[in-house]
Amino acid sequence: MTGLPDPGARDIRGTAEFERVAQFYRRWHEPAFGEVSGAASPSAAPDGRAIAFAGEVRADLEGRPRFRLCVADGSGIRRLTGADTADERNPQYSPDGRTIAFTSDRETSGVQQLMLADAASGQVRAAPAVDGTVEYLQWSPDGARILLGVAGLGADLAGGEGSGGVVRGEREELPGWIPETDSGVSGEDWRSVWLYDVAGRTVERLPLAGRNVWESAWCGPDAVLAVTSPSPGEGAWYTADLRRVELSGVDEVVYEPDRQLGWPAASPSGRRRAVVRACSSDRWVVAGDVVLLAEGRTAKVETAGVDVTQLQWLDESRLAFLGVRGLETVAGVYDADREETTELWSGATTCGDRYPVASFLPDGSAAVVHSGYSVPPELAWLRDGKVETVASLRHAGSDYVGETAGEVEPVEWTAPDGTGIQGLLCTPEGEGPFPLVVNVHGGPVWGWRNQWMLGGTYVRLLVSRGYAVLHPNPRGSSGRGQEFAEAVFGDPGGADTFDYLSGIDALVARGIADPKRIGVTGASYGGYMSAWLITQDERFAAAAPIAPVTDWHSQHFTSNIPFFDELLLADGPHGTSGRYRDRSPVTHAGRVRTPTLLIAGAEDRCTPPGQAVEFHNGLQLAGVPSVCVVYPGEGHGIRSFPAVADQGARLLDWFDRHLSLPEAS
């Protein structure tokens, strides 16, 4: 039976389905209200005895969680700051271990500014405010300065961060009739580098005129290594270069790539520099090859088959890295003097959020937030090839989820052209065949990993209700090298279509999936593929695209990343034919027979909500059951409660409604 009397109702509060889903989330989160239940941004204490981190704390199921400055050591977890309403992020130990720099929005909600805490006493002092919000920070090797990556208050978040503005909501009270305006680039859109002088307690902006700084890192004591572009528009990131910028503002280009760049890092002296070069879909979601720049030479670093997601120099010769290799997470060190790579740890579980991250010490050990589908987040060390748990964030609510969300297993199958495809399969208790939902990841250059949240909160909800959920990593995914990642470029919705369909066939053949009860969902590129697959194959009984692209032409002219669709399609938008038309789901809406639930965020600048509306209207004209749901205040993906519960209720009802077989007579 289904839970919503009307799937198109605007307000579903009070329905049995909404209450069931809300109860699931309450049982998950309520036992940890007021306590640290999640973690991000680990920072290793120099003596290896503690890990500072941003601890996720929920007081209720309203809005998004806030983060507190915390430390984990042998005695457990302690908060270093008071229990007020501030959101605190980006902790980093000073080189001497006495101070933890972090950011906080305690002065203005949503605007992060630099703070410094005494690591022993927790006493906090504020640094002078910068003009914007601090996105990241890094101590200089000598501890004399702190580099601050600052975004203007009009800048965009990356798609992987949720899109929309870096500061959510109105920054000033205005009458309701005041219009929204856009005249192109404004002064508040730029990203820049600021430097905090620890002894003098002063801040100043690095004088780099006409360059937007997406990422930066120290390059010796008197320079910065920066990924830059001449425009602050989100689309300009795709063609950014790498520059060495002296503190006087004098800059030189050190690397002009043919792909995207991320994770710049330099040795303490600045003599050796490194950056990750990759074919990428989103800023901050970069996994690829390591390029070493030293003594006027450029060389690709051997990383044991790992697509690298983080870099950190341990000293003048050793470069630590973290990344993905197939379904594994891998940590290693490259010795530039010996030109040798040593693998330090690899595992089927993982660390980090969008991609693996860690904080390394000179001995090669690394502080991480470790997790798996059945392993709640924990602060841990990667040491001697093992995971050493410091403090687990397990609680009664995570135990409940673990008891109801089934199991995960790696799966492999072969696409029609002979390409091997990997994925992760979540299954409920009991014997198959199960109703199957295919959950398509975004990007397309990203990849599912065995982590606590896996494909989002609704995955555990689906499994708890009796669905199997397949998470494929088709061509275009990270972890299989750049050739595999680039295989989808110029061919979205082409060969990768059959990577998904053959995965379904493999699970049907194994008796896991019921061929009459197949659904598909996914967000971003996953939303695109969820819409595309139902135009290509009639096996799907239901679809739920989230934050989709459905019309590449209108996407190009309404999105904040128009360069990306040209890169992905290897085509231009100015014409009446070609991939912009042929690979758009809306072009083929007339052939769809699959009931479709479309979900979007009203503030999504990456894949604007009009994309969901267009496909919904096309399906309605074709006589296909379709509901379009647009959440106010949400961006690229639904992230705030109670909207998360509302989305979960609608998804479950939609799949229950259309994937259930008729009762036997």
Side-chain angles (χ1 to χ4, degrees), residues 626-639:
S626 177
V627 172
C628 185
V629 182
V630 180
Y631 290 93
E634 295 290 336
H636 199 56
I638 311 308
R639 301 167 188 248

Side-chain angles (χ1 to χ4, degrees), residues 161-352:
E161 297 174 298
S163 190
V166 293
V167 178
R168 293 189 175 274
E170 292 291 337
R171 296 198 301 275
E172 58 181 322
E173 293 295 329
L174 295 173
W177 61 266
I178 297 293
E180 296 286 341
T181 62
D182 182 4
S183 59
V185 173
S186 77
E188 287 196 321
D189 296 343
W190 293 82
R191 284 178 163 86
S192 56
V193 174
W194 292 63
L195 303 174
Y196 174 71
D197 183 278
V198 177
R201 300 190 180 187
T202 59
V203 291
E204 62 177 335
R205 181 170 178 164
L206 187 68
L208 183 60
R211 305 299 301 183
N212 190 75
V213 180
W214 300 104
E215 288 181 75
S216 59
W218 285 103
C219 189
D222 300 313
V224 167
L225 191 64
V227 177
T228 79
S229 67
S231 167
E234 193 67 24
W237 172 78
Y238 293 92
T239 54
D241 59 20
L242 185 68
R243 297 182 178 228
R244 179 183 179 275
V245 186
E246 296 180 5
L247 300 192
S248 64
V250 175
D251 67 292
E252 61 172 329
V253 177
V254 295
Y255 185 51
E256 292 186 283
D258 57 350
R259 292 293 184 268
Q260 288 71 56
L261 298 179
W263 322 119
S267 63
S269 70
R271 184 170 63 89
R272 284 175 165 145
R273 306 144 194 174
V275 71
V276 176
R277 168 197 174 274
C279 198
S280 307
S281 309
D282 298 272
R283 185 166 57 86
W284 293 121
V285 188
V286 178
D289 297 331
V290 178
V291 177
L292 181 65
L293 308 160
E295 299 173 350
R297 296 183 299 164
T298 300
K300 177 183 171 182
V301 170
E302 170 55 47
T303 57
V306 175
D307 282 349
V308 172
T309 62
Q310 185 189 0
L311 294 173
Q312 182 182 333
W313 286 91
L314 305 182
D315 51 36
E316 281 301 309
S317 63
R318 294 180 301 142
L319 177 63
F321 62 86
L322 199 66
V324 288
R325 182 176 60 205
L327 296 174
E328 290 184 307
T329 296
V330 182
V333 170
Y334 173 74
D335 190 312
D337 288 340
R338 299 181 179 181
E339 298 185 354
E340 294 178 352
T341 297
T342 302
E343 187 171 310
L344 301 176
W345 174 83
S346 64
T349 51
T350 191
C351 53

Side-chain angles (χ1 to χ4, degrees), residues 398-430:
S398 58
D399 286 346
Y400 163 72
V401 170
E403 293 165 0
T404 61
E407 298 179 347
V408 67
E409 65 171 294
V411 289
E412 296 187 17
W413 63 94
T414 303
D417 65 355
T419 302
I421 306 299
Q422 299 175 327
L424 292 168
L425 175 66
C426 300
T427 52
E429 292 185 0

Side-chain angles (χ1 to χ4, degrees), residues 25-33 35 395-398:
Y25 286 117
R26 284 196 294 269
R27 291 193 64 181
W28 180 351
H29 293 294
E30 270 187 359
F33 279 176
E35 303 297 327
H395 55 84
S398 58

Side-chain angles (χ1 to χ4, degrees), residues 548-573:
V549 173
T550 66
D551 182 344
W552 288 111
H553 274 107
S554 58
Q555 165 74 9
H556 183 84
F557 294 108
T558 58
S559 169
N560 67 346
I561 52 171
F563 179 83
F564 175 68
D565 50 74
E566 292 190 65
L567 178 68
L568 178 64
L569 293 167
D571 200 357

Side-chain angles (χ1 to χ4, degrees), residues 324 326-328 422-424 438-442 446-451 453-456 458-459 470-474 477-478 500 521-523:
V324 288
L327 296 174
E328 290 184 307
Q422 299 175 327
L424 292 168
V438 181
N439 192 18
V440 184
H441 70 64
W446 190 50
W448 298 121
R449 292 175 292 128
N450 180 7
Q451 62 188 125
M453 298 298 289
L454 200 59
Y458 58 82
V459 171
L470 175 64
H471 299 82
N473 282 343
S477 301
S478 53
Y500 303 105
T521 189

